[in-house]
Amino acid sequence: MTAQRENWGTRIGFIMAAAGSAVGLGNIWKFPYMAGDNGGGAFLLIYLGCVLLFGLSLVIAELTIGRMTQRNPVDAFHRLAGPGWAFVGAMGVATAFIILSFYVVVAGWTLAYVVFMGSGALGHLNIDQNTEIFTRFVASPVEPLVYAAIFTVMMVGVVLGGVASGIERVSKWLMPLLFVLLVILAIRSVTLPGAGEGLSFYLNPDWSRVSSGTWGAAISQAFFSLSLGMGAMLTYGSYMSRDQNLPRDAAMVVGLDTLVAVLAGLVILPAVFSAGFEPTAGAGLTFMTLPAVFDKMPGGVFFGVAFFVLLAIAALTSAVSLLEVVVSYFVDNRGARRGAAAIGTGLVVFAIGVPVSLSQGIWSDVTIGGKSILDAADYFTTAVTMPVGGLLISLFVGWVLGPRAVEAIRSTPDHRLPLAGLWLFVLRFVAPVGIGWVLLQGLFF
Ligand code: PHE
């Protein structure tokens, strides 16, 4: 064994960092518009089912692999089962690069919108005008890249600080702030006149809007939102100490992530209905519909700025975990220093982010499989490499490790894994069948 691996400073610190990874653009930008597109409350229920059914089991599985090996994803599989399995980790590292390349771009937009909202540039505009501003902004060749660069620098800065004194410390400050902002915004939203309609849309399931695609959407959303299938949870698990109660802390992280997604829906949907708009603008809901919503509400500038700050914080702590996957690989396996690995990866990520950003403007006619570069990067990771990775991790822990994994969790006397048999059953059968079905379904689109 090489030098002692760095550990999280405290249990709460780990929970905040891992929840920071999970809570991201997926919860606040994607979840509400997916619920809006898929029958509101019906999607909410199906999503909760997926999280309970296999989200939690997989989070425990990834954290366990990490803590057992104390290594990055590539090495972790290698150590447990030989080089044949190491490709699962390698796929995770590659996925981290691809997700980061669009994550920094979209996160850059949220930083820009903090400025736009705060400066009053979006005041008194209707949805059409907001749509035009948004499309013009993302299409411009330079401006979004400046914001993406600022975001990249912030992300690298946090990872440079290290695990406990960088990632953990920043998460311990930012996550509580995120919660406070979210609760303030949710209260504002549900007390707006006419919010009731949005509430009932969100809380009363409309099963007629549910199709077989809804299930697939919910499963892949659960993966993305819980940072699963590509080694982020595994990497964070590798910094967990052996006397931390892993199943309990995993449940906390999953609970917090789900709570934030549910609250984000409570912020966005009632406000959208109250302003008399439809929640079906898809990915544009946040940037095109919401500014007009804020414009109509008392104190809208304050709440608008708070909302985009919230989004930027969520994005930052998630991006940090993606970067940490890559950095831990270069540090463990290539003998890189943390600083060099973080800065080098940041530069590469930004470089891949350039075509992703340009794909919204001057390179919009460059398509991959009929999608813009940004949509292709999102689709390829969310619908392909993360579910495939999750499927393999599930089979790996269920069949290859099996009782060894249960043993590892129970290695200290006071740490029980309740329902260990059920956990293994989910990893062996339920999750692989569910994920496999979604993947097959994706092939027929
Ligand atoms: N979970 C993050 C979100 O919801 C995205 C993410 C995916 C982060 C994979 C890390 C790893 O936005």
Side-chain angles (χ1 to χ4, degrees):
M1 198 45 90
T2 34
Q4 170 78 37
R5 194 171 190 72
E6 191 184 349
N7 276 357
W8 302 107
T10 60
R11 172 180 166 236
I12 292 301
F14 160 77
I15 292 173
M16 288 299 127
S21 167
V23 172
L25 296 172
N27 303 57
I28 301 166
W29 170 56
K30 278 189 174 175
F31 182 82
Y33 80 72
M34 294 187 82
D37 283 345
N38 288 289
F43 184 79
L44 180 62
L45 284 179
I46 295 177
Y47 178 79
L48 292 177
C50 291
V51 167
L52 275 181
L53 197 59
F54 33 81
L56 176 60
S57 292
L58 272 160
V59 171
I60 298 178
E62 276 202 38
L63 291 174
T64 303
I65 300 179
R67 190 171 67 170
M68 275 172 93
T69 54
Q70 311 258 304
R71 304 293 283 184
N72 69 82
V74 179
D75 248 17
F77 285 101
H78 193 142
R79 289 206 169 181
L80 289 172
W85 277 94
F87 80 96
V88 180
M91 198 168 77
V93 175
T95 301
F97 266 109
I98 304 173
I99 299 182
L100 274 173
S101 72
F102 68 84
Y103 220 81
V104 296
V105 171
V106 178
W109 300 348
T110 72
L111 287 182
Y113 267 68
V114 173
V115 177
F116 296 172
M117 284 290 330
S119 66
L122 305 176
H124 308 301
L125 302 178
N126 59 33
I127 291 197
D128 290 339
Q129 291 162 316
N130 271 303
T131 303
E132 201 191 311
I133 291 194
F134 176 69
T135 12
R136 210 180 323 124
F137 164 68
V138 297
S140 82
V142 182
E143 219 187 329
L145 281 172
V146 173
Y147 286 103
I150 297 172
F151 183 82
T152 307
V153 169
M154 289 162 61
M155 164 183 85
V156 169
V158 175
V159 172
L160 274 182
V163 174
S165 44
I167 301 175
E168 179 174 348
R169 200 168 50 156
V170 170
S171 307
K172 262 170 46 186
W173 280 100
L174 291 185
M175 292 311 287
L177 176 61
L178 179 145
F179 274 108
V180 171
L181 289 175
L182 197 63
V183 170
I184 294 176
L185 284 161
I187 293 173
R188 169 70 284 188
S189 180
V190 299
T191 53
L192 286 167
E197 204 190 325
L199 272 177
S200 79
F201 169 79
Y202 189 43
L203 300 176
N204 296 332
D206 173 3
W207 296 103
S208 69
R209 300 261 303 278
V210 171
S211 63
S212 64
T214 310
W215 288 83
I219 292 182
S220 23
Q221 172 64 13
F223 264 88
F224 188 80
S225 189
L226 291 169
S227 308
L228 285 173
M230 44 70 63
M233 283 297 162
L234 192 161
T235 305
Y236 274 17
S238 77
Y239 304 119
M240 277 174 105
S241 89
R242 303 227 187 254
D243 44 52
Q244 212 177 322
N245 187 333
L246 190 149
R248 184 191 58 192
D249 292 352
M252 283 287 290
V253 172
V254 171
L256 286 172
D257 183 63
T258 309
L259 182 69
V260 171
V262 172
L263 280 175
L266 269 189
V267 168
I268 292 178
L269 296 170
V272 168
F273 276 90
S274 144
F277 301 140
E278 285 291 314
T280 46
L285 189 61
T286 300
F287 296 101
M288 303 188 232
T289 311
L290 280 189
V293 171
F294 287 122
D295 193 48
K296 287 193 167 189
M297 80 175 52
V301 170
F302 170 79
F303 292 110
V305 171
F307 176 80
F308 285 104
V309 168
L310 168 84
L311 205 53
I313 293 175
L316 182 63
T317 50
S318 293
V320 158
S321 74
L322 287 158
L323 181 58
E324 183 61 27
V325 170
V326 181
V327 167
S328 73
Y329 167 72
F330 281 109
V331 171
D332 288 350
N333 286 31
R334 308 269 149 172
R337 277 184 303 115
R338 166 170 284 275
I343 294 172
T345 309
L347 287 172
V348 174
V349 161
F350 182 73
I352 327 178
V354 171
V356 170
S357 179
L358 296 182
S359 76
Q360 303 301 296
I362 54 176
W363 284 8
S364 57
D365 38 336
V366 182
T367 56
I368 307 174
K371 296 179 189 308
S372 74
I373 303 177
L374 191 155
D375 290 340
D378 184 359
Y379 177 80
F380 181 64
T381 48
T382 310
V384 184
T385 66
M386 294 174 82
V388 169
L391 178 72
L392 293 169
I393 291 173
S394 172
L395 292 173
F396 181 79
V397 176
W399 295 101
V400 179
L401 297 183
R404 249 171 97 195
V406 177
E407 211 31 60
I409 295 178
R410 290 177 166 164
S411 58
T412 47
D414 55 339
H415 297 160
R416 307 254 165 273
L417 175 60
L419 309 175
L422 180 63
W423 182 59
L424 283 183
F425 179 76
V426 168
L427 294 178
R428 284 177 176 169
F429 302 105
V430 182
V433 169
I435 303 164
W437 178 69
V438 168
L439 282 166
L440 284 178
Q441 200 188 37
L443 290 181
F444 298 116
F445 275 132

